[in-house]
Amino acid sequence: GEDVEQSLFLSVREGDSSVINCTYTDSSSTYLYWYKQEPGAGLQLLTYIFSNMDMKQDQRLTVLLNKKDKHLSLRIADTQTGDSAIYFCAESINSGAGSYQLTFGKGTKLSVIP
Amino acid sequence: EPEVTQTPSHQVTQMGQEVILRCVPISNHLYFYWYRQILGQKVEFLVSFYNNEISEKSEIFDDQFSVERPDGSNFTLKIRSTKLEDSAMYFCASSRRGADTQYFGPGTRLTVL
């Protein structure tokens, strides 16, 4: 079955880089996503990568995809206190009839120490 | 920028009561989804909906759940007879096409007493 695994906690100092890792199981995933959830809030799409890419950069965010190892990472450069949140990795799986469902990891809680 | 909206933001209900959670997807999107997140747990897929019918549903989405697109803008999730374990945050999402990025609403927190 499908499963997405992430470490649960990460603590970094303000100004350092954060790297959040994720492994997934379904090799047919078309897109892989990173969502951010602040306390009591919804899921904010941060970035995504198409499965035929191995890297995507978007300002302070860098996504790396190793399709062979089914490993996805999110690097946040110059981490700020406002980056403190839970980060969810998600894979998009074709569930038939043209529709896709997202399978999420449990989320990594990023704490930024001032 | 267009966004998915959900109402209410918080719903408190008694066990056994029916609830309807409402969503307004992004206007040119054709695929609609419901997910839920029990406190402290991962976000779980419930159901996807396209062309006025359910495309896929998870094992969580039993006979107590139903979805509807009653008009051109709203997408609703109904829970017929709520149970304590239905307490969760319910997220609506939409995408333009099936494989496209899904955009999530802010969620409705459902509390069943």
Side-chain angles (χ1 to χ4, degrees):
Chain A
E2 314 95 22
D3 207 7
V4 177
E5 300 284 343
Q6 300 177 240
S7 51
L8 295 181
F9 302 98
L10 177 66
S11 184
V12 297
R13 293 208 171 273
E14 192 174 15
D16 287 351
S17 292
S18 309
V19 179
I20 303 172
N21 295 299
C22 167
T23 56
Y24 61 97
T25 55
D26 195 315
S27 56
S28 64
S29 296
T30 50
Y31 287 96
L32 294 130
Y33 297 90
W34 286 103
Y35 286 87
K36 177 183 179 183
Q37 186 179 39
E38 296 182 41
L43 294 166
Q44 175 197 347
L45 176 66
L46 265 186
T47 187
Y48 62 91
I49 189 166
F50 191 51
S51 58
N52 69 355
M53 298 169 64
D54 49 25
M55 186 179 102
K56 180 178 178 182
Q57 186 144 8
D58 183 1
Q59 298 181 333
R60 291 191 297 124
L61 305 178
T62 304
V63 179
L64 295 177
L65 175 61
N66 180 329
K67 204 170 176 184
K68 175 174 160 289
D69 294 339
K70 298 192 186 72
H71 182 267
L72 181 74
S73 68
L74 173 70
R75 179 176 179 270
I76 306 172
D78 186 27
T79 315
Q80 303 297 307
T81 53
D83 295 324
S84 293
I86 299 177
Y87 290 80
F88 290 94
C89 169
E91 61 175 337
S92 172
I93 298 166
N94 187 344
S95 48
S99 107
Y100 287 70
Q101 66 184 71
L102 299 183
T103 298
F104 286 82
K106 287 187 177 176
T108 298
K109 184 174 181 180
L110 174 65
S111 300
V112 182
I113 305 161
Chain B
E1 189 175 312
E3 56 185 21
V4 177
T5 59
Q6 290 185 242
T7 53
S9 56
H10 192 188
Q11 172 97 46
V12 181
T13 190
Q14 295 289 328
M15 193 168 57
Q17 294 296 302
E18 174 184 286
V19 294
I20 297 176
L21 310 183
R22 299 178 195 283
C23 168
V24 178
I26 294 172
S27 64
N28 64 347
H29 284 189
L30 301 176
Y31 289 79
F32 314 115
Y33 310 84
W34 284 102
Y35 291 81
R36 79 170 185 193
Q37 183 184 30
I38 294 171
L39 187 64
Q41 297 187 26
K42 61 168 74 176
V43 178
E44 301 171 289
F45 169 78
L46 289 179
V47 67
S48 59
F49 189 87
Y50 167 72
N51 200 26
N52 280 319
E53 59 183 30
I54 290 174
S55 308
E56 185 70 22
K57 58 185 181 179
S58 71
E59 58 194 27
I60 303 167
F61 194 90
D62 62 22
D63 292 343
Q64 293 300 312
F65 291 87
S66 61
V67 288
E68 197 179 29
R69 187 146 161 87
D71 53 44
S73 58
N74 289 283
F75 178 52
T76 62
L77 174 70
K78 184 195 289 187
I79 309 175
R80 259 179 275 284
S81 176
T82 49
K83 304 190 273 286
L84 295 176
E85 54 266 37
D86 293 328
S87 293
M89 184 77 103
Y90 287 81
F91 293 106
C92 173
S94 70
S95 65
R96 204 162 79 83
R97 294 172 301 182
D100 285 352
T101 302
Q102 294 181 23
Y103 291 88
F104 282 74
T108 292
R109 180 167 297 286
L110 176 66
T111 302
V112 182
L113 302 176

